[in-house]
């Protein structure tokens, strides 16, 4: 599942890290993939020193995307790492949490890949290039070494660049964190429209006869919008935010999840600990309860159970 929204700072990375960690604490084997050159998800689990010393040169997604067609020269499964601190907290569960790290240099590669889309001189050639590039992550995740994961969450950058599109093409579902304000809610139908356009274009290019079944149509759909950083006053969502949420629920084509995540100081020091806030906070806290509900709702909608892949 991809976690995406082109709006920045709406809680994508926080949701990815904490949802992954909560699922792992329930016994799920979770793989997180950081596709954002800002590298925030990576630094939610590894310190900058750990990343510099152990990951930067040989274990980031940058090197994998950096090929004529990503993955042609290297294997995605070789980039999987197991962050120690969070897995120590998970040691009494059946779950585990692995991560493929990102790299600031991914930003240049994203642009180069997009430029390559225009490189073919024939229509067939450009269609094939389009399909090759857009389906690279999907193909890579079909590697049998990924079959042991119950849940894969892909944290996207706040854009709709080629790397983000590879995440959408690789996903069955898309989770869209959003803030409950005017501009954020305006963008949701636009986002859904762009996802639809990508799916239609990809599937229109898939030609079973010509490609011997090498490419299959993609069917990602939006699981829902989860409103984050919601302001609570007297145990209720403030009136203004409530009205934005209801507007989206009634007027937008994108589904809205019942769960919301409140604004909470627990998320302040996301990067420093290596263990997502929801595994550190006390069980009775309101935001922990909300996150549990979100995990119930998302995992239920995905029809996943821990150990499903085993
Ligand atoms: N529910 C919340 N309550 C309070 N602060 C939050 C909450 N969720 C996220 N934050 C904080 O808001 C900031 C942005 O969150 P986050 O990095 O998850 O957003 P993002 O959508 O991934 O951003 P970007 O688009 O830059 O990747 C971070 O400092 C994070 O700690
Ligand atoms: Mg982020």
């Amino acid at each position: 599942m991809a976690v995406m929204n082109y709006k920045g700072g709406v809680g994508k990375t926080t949701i990815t890290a904490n949802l992954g960690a909560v699922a792992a604490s329930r016994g799920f084997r979770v793989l997180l993939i950081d596709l954002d050159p800002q590298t925030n998800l990576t630094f939610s689990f590894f310190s900058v020193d750990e990343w510099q010393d152990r990951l930067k040169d040989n274990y980031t997604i940058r090197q994998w995307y950096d090929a004529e067609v990503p993955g042609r020269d290297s294997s995605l499964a070789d980039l999987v790492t197991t962050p120690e601190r969070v897995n120590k907290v998970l040691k009494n569960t059946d779950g585990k949490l692995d991560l493929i790290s990102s790299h600031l240099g991914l930003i240049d590669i994203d642009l180069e890949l997009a430029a390559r889309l225009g490189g073919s001189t024939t229509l067939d050639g450009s269609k094939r290039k389009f399909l090759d590039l857009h389906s690279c992550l999907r193909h890579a995740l079909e590697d049998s070494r990924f079959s042991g994961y119950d849940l894969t969450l892909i944290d996207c950058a706040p854009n709709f660049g080629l790397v983000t599109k590879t995440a959408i093409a690789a996903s069955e579902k898309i989770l869209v964190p959003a803030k409950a304000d005017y501009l954020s809610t305006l963008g949701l139908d636009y986002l859904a429209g762009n996802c639809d356009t990508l799916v239609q274009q990809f599937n229109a290019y898939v030609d079973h006869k010509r490609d011997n079944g090498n490419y299959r149509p993609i069917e990602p759909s939006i699981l829902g919008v989860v409103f984050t950083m919601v302001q609570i006053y007297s145990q209720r969502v403030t009136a203004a935010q409530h009205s934005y949420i209801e507007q989206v629920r009634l007027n937008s084509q994108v589904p809205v999840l019942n769960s919301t995540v409140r604004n909470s100081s627990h998320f302040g020091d996301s990067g420093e600990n290596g263990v997502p806030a929801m595994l550190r906070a006390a069980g009775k806290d309101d935001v922990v309860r909300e996150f549990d509900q979100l995990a119930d709702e998302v995992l239920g909608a995905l029809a996943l159970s821990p150990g499903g892949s085993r």
Side-chain angles (χ1 to χ4, degrees), residues 5-16 36 38 40 155-159 177 179 228-230 261-271 287 290-291:
N5 189 338
Y6 349 101
K7 256 192 97 64
V10 294
K12 295 180 290 297
T13 302
T14 304
I15 296 269
T16 309
D36 186 349
Q38 296 180 96
N40 292 341
D155 186 29
C156 298
N159 64 39
K179 282 189 187 176
T228 63
M229 302 185 217
V230 167
V261 180
R262 69 182 56 202
N263 195 61
S264 160
S265 57
H266 281 300
F267 298 109
D269 61 349
S270 50
V287 72
E290 286 177 350
F291 230 95

